[in-house]
Amino acid sequence: MPKAKYESIFRSIKKKIEAQDYPYQSLLPSENTLTAEYGCSRNTIRRALADLSADGYVQAIQGKGVRVIYQPVGKTTFIIGGIETFQETARRNNLRAVTRVIRFGTVSADAKLARESGFSEGDELWAVERLRYLDGKALILDLNYFLKELVPGLTPEIAQNSIYEYIENQLGMQIVTSKRKMTVEHVTMRDERWMDLDGYDCVAVVTNHTFNADGLLFEYTQSRHQPDYFCFQDTATRKK
Amino acid sequence: MPKAKYESIFRSIKKKIEAQDYPYQSLLPSENTLTAEYGCSRNTIRRALADLSADGYVQAIQGKGVRVIYQPVGKTTFIIGGIETFQETARRNNLRAVTRVIRFGTVSADAKLARESGFSEGDELWAVERLRYLDGKALILDLNYFLKELVPGLTPEIAQNSIYEYIENQLGMQIVTSKRKMTVEHVTMRDERWMDLDGYDCVAVVTNHTFNADGLLFEYTQSRHQPDYFCFQDTATRKK
DNA sequence: GCCGATTTGTCCGTATGTATC
DNA sequence: CGATACATACGGACAAATCGG
């Protein structure tokens, strides 16, 4: 349920674009027209259009109009974009998801871990290692560190279902910003031991720093993906 | 040279954050304070803060303040973020860059190429294949398609220097939005023939759709990266 | 638990600048 | 040149969240 007006307008226009009601390469109605159509101020329309632009749906051209640059995606594999849980992604791609916990414990951040994770030395952390299966194949090896202070009461059972679901629904903590870095690495012995590599000798590695609604770092994760089901999408805008 | 006021404020605050003048985890001065400090309206400050948030520098917390979540990056390899040319990226990482053109010609988009590139069937395209060397190693294999109609007068000489420089400075066309997709693939025979793979049997593949200031698709590119020098960064924000 | 001060979030109306046609 | 469209900026109003007393 969209609360903010600009958000419901954003969704409304997005839907029309996806339905190709506003087709690729066409111009949207002008901001003034949309203002009248939705019964709001021009600023509110502009906020919705800015968000559509950030999502790569439209492109504003001064003096001319707002052009639709959205094209429906073809075959989807495993798309990572925005902040999504493993479960959400699996569901969106109609894949059967299973999680297996292969390590669950606590550690104190040493100098090396502090440097790479962004936590402070001495922070008490949960360390969770999980294997993710899609349609019966072990495709993702996750190594999560959570700040115990902000994520109390974690158990192996929760880890086997959805830690994010626990954090958001049980603890009531909101996840807001996620900073990610993507690289490609040679497989390790651990990868070979656990994952269905299917002939690959490399994995896609995503490291992740996650901040809650208070702007506090509470999670550092390294996800190692078998290449077949990995796809990372992005829209960039050039600054003047 | 920043024209817009919000942009110069954005840069000013960004610099202070990078200098740790506003340190990690601290709160920025309130919007009202900044309004007084910069002599502008609150909306203008908010625009600058929104851009900082989009870049993963800060996180706003309602009723509380705006928290700094920027942490200086450690060792840099070859960072892809925003829209950057090969030359710009090389310079930023202090690497000696050389480009070698291994194919230069024109093609007409067939059904398959049209589907994967987003061009229309029958569009006349430049097809350029280039090898990128950093510090003497062949690390990136680029396959570019440009719409001839929008990028006239391309030559192998231009391709060897910078096509983007030509497009922006000579043709006066502005590059605005870039939609990218990142995957990992097995090396092909072409990869093995041209690149210094250094033992890897996979490459990171970035496909790119680039739109000009008129919102028209004018470039489709596939870049194949040797993994050692590849890093893709991203900041995502969860929607309510 | 309530209240008031502070701070960010949303929305409006208006004015002016700049690019396109 | 004028009309149209997006870009920037200002000021004001009220809502919602946080925090301290």
Side-chain angles (χ1 to χ4, degrees):
Chain A
M1 194 89 115
K3 273 181 296 193
K5 196 181 277 193
Y6 74 85
E7 196 189 338
S8 79
I9 295 172
F10 164 81
R11 292 193 200 202
S12 164
I13 298 176
K14 192 172 202 171
K15 250 185 206 162
K16 290 186 184 175
I17 291 173
E18 283 168 351
Q20 306 189 33
D21 202 349
Y22 298 136
Y24 178 61
Q25 290 295 334
S26 68
L27 294 178
L28 292 185
S30 79
E31 292 178 352
N32 285 326
T33 308
L34 290 171
T35 293
E37 204 168 296
Y38 285 100
C40 66
S41 80
R42 196 170 149 237
N43 274 335
T44 305
I45 288 291
R46 283 181 62 74
R47 172 70 190 268
L49 293 177
D51 289 352
L52 286 167
S53 171
D55 280 5
Y57 273 59
V58 301
Q59 171 85 240
I61 308 153
Q62 187 168 355
K64 215 171 181 183
V66 177
R67 175 157 283 155
V68 176
I69 61 172
Y70 166 87
Q71 287 176 290
V73 285
K75 63 156 192 338
T76 39
T77 49
F78 191 52
I79 294 173
I80 301 191
I83 305 176
E84 263 187 341
T85 68
F86 174 67
Q87 319 275 358
E88 287 166 351
T89 307
R91 199 175 310 121
R92 190 163 50 70
N93 292 289
N94 282 317
L95 295 169
R96 193 168 45 86
V98 174
T99 299
R100 181 173 154 205
V101 179
I102 55 183
R103 192 157 69 97
F104 187 93
T106 64
V107 295
S108 175
D110 60 14
K112 177 168 172 286
L113 179 57
R115 194 173 50 248
E116 90 179 37
S117 68
F119 290 120
S120 301
E121 214 172 319
D123 278 350
E124 290 296 310
L125 310 171
W126 299 108
V128 183
E129 198 166 7
R130 295 182 293 177
L131 199 53
R132 313 287 211 163
Y133 295 83
L134 287 175
D135 283 341
K137 289 199 280 191
L139 296 180
I140 306 172
L141 184 60
D142 269 352
L143 177 57
N144 304 80
Y145 294 99
F146 294 94
L147 199 58
K148 282 185 78 170
E149 193 185 338
L150 292 179
V151 190
L154 210 57
T155 66
E157 288 69 37
I158 293 167
Q160 189 163 357
N161 296 304
S162 172
I163 295 180
Y164 273 65
E165 204 257 345
Y166 171 73
I167 288 172
E168 294 205 308
N169 298 341
Q170 303 300 313
L171 298 182
M173 184 162 71
Q174 285 230 319
I175 294 149
V176 177
T177 303
S178 170
K179 295 203 270 188
R180 290 173 301 191
K181 206 159 60 174
M182 225 286 314
T183 57
V184 177
E185 294 180 14
H186 274 302
V187 295
T188 62
M189 276 166 50
R190 273 192 93 68
D191 295 335
E192 282 181 345
R193 174 174 170 198
W194 294 109
M195 298 170 72
D196 282 341
L197 289 167
D198 206 10
Y200 285 101
D201 84 336
C202 288
V203 289
V205 180
V206 181
T207 61
N208 203 320
H209 292 85
T210 315
F211 296 83
N212 69 7
D214 285 329
L216 298 172
L217 176 68
F218 75 95
E219 179 195 3
Y220 169 75
T221 292
Q222 187 188 89
S223 291
R224 307 177 71 84
H225 294 250
Q226 199 258 38
D228 273 341
Y229 288 78
F230 179 78
C231 180
F232 194 100
Q233 289 191 341
D234 183 51
T235 301
T237 303
R238 181 125 176 149
K239 306 196 172 161
K240 295 172 197 170
Chain B
M1 194 149 56
K3 272 181 301 192
K5 194 181 277 191
Y6 75 85
E7 196 189 337
S8 79
I9 296 172
F10 163 80
R11 292 192 201 202
S12 163
I13 299 177
K14 192 172 201 168
K15 249 182 207 161
K16 290 188 184 174
I17 291 173
E18 283 168 352
Q20 306 189 36
D21 203 349
Y22 298 136
Y24 179 62
Q25 290 295 331
S26 68
L27 294 178
L28 292 185
S30 79
E31 292 176 355
N32 284 326
T33 307
L34 290 171
T35 293
E37 205 167 296
Y38 285 100
C40 66
S41 77
R42 191 172 153 232
N43 274 335
T44 304
I45 288 292
R46 283 181 64 73
R47 171 71 191 268
L49 293 178
D51 289 352
L52 286 168
S53 171
D55 279 5
Y57 273 59
V58 300
Q59 172 85 239
I61 308 153
Q62 186 169 357
K64 214 171 184 182
V66 178
R67 175 158 282 155
V68 176
I69 61 171
Y70 167 87
Q71 286 176 290
V73 286
K75 65 161 193 329
T76 39
T77 50
F78 191 54
I79 293 173
I80 302 191
I83 305 177
E84 262 187 341
T85 68
F86 173 68
Q87 319 275 358
E88 287 166 351
T89 307
R91 198 175 311 123
R92 190 163 49 70
N93 292 288
N94 282 317
L95 296 168
R96 192 168 46 87
V98 174
T99 300
R100 180 173 156 206
V101 179
I102 56 183
R103 192 156 69 96
F104 187 93
T106 63
V107 295
S108 175
D110 60 14
K112 177 168 171 287
L113 180 57
R115 194 173 50 249
E116 89 179 39
S117 68
F119 291 120
S120 301
E121 214 173 319
D123 280 349
E124 290 295 310
L125 310 172
W126 298 109
V128 183
E129 198 165 7
R130 294 182 293 178
L131 199 53
R132 313 286 211 164
Y133 295 83
L134 286 175
D135 283 340
K137 289 200 278 191
L139 297 180
I140 306 172
L141 183 60
D142 269 352
L143 177 57
N144 304 80
Y145 294 99
F146 293 95
L147 200 58
K148 282 186 76 170
E149 192 185 337
L150 293 178
V151 190
L154 210 58
T155 66
E157 289 69 37
I158 294 168
Q160 189 164 357
N161 296 305
S162 172
I163 295 181
Y164 273 65
E165 204 258 345
Y166 170 73
I167 288 172
E168 294 205 307
N169 298 341
Q170 302 301 312
L171 297 182
M173 184 162 72
Q174 286 231 319
I175 293 149
V176 177
T177 303
S178 170
K179 296 202 271 188
R180 290 174 300 193
K181 205 159 61 175
M182 225 287 313
T183 57
V184 177
E185 295 181 13
H186 274 302
V187 294
T188 62
M189 276 166 50
R190 274 192 93 68
D191 296 334
E192 283 181 345
R193 174 173 170 199
W194 294 109
M195 298 171 70
D196 282 341
L197 289 166
D198 207 10
Y200 286 100
D201 84 337
C202 288
V203 289
V205 180
V206 181
T207 62
N208 204 319
H209 292 85
T210 315
F211 296 83
N212 69 7
D214 285 330
L216 298 173
L217 175 69
F218 75 95
E219 180 196 2
Y220 169 73
T221 294
Q222 187 187 88
S223 291
R224 307 177 71 85
H225 295 250
Q226 200 259 37
D228 273 341
Y229 288 78
F230 180 78
C231 180
F232 193 101
Q233 288 192 339
D234 183 51
T235 300
T237 302
R238 182 122 175 150
K239 306 198 170 159
K240 296 174 197 169

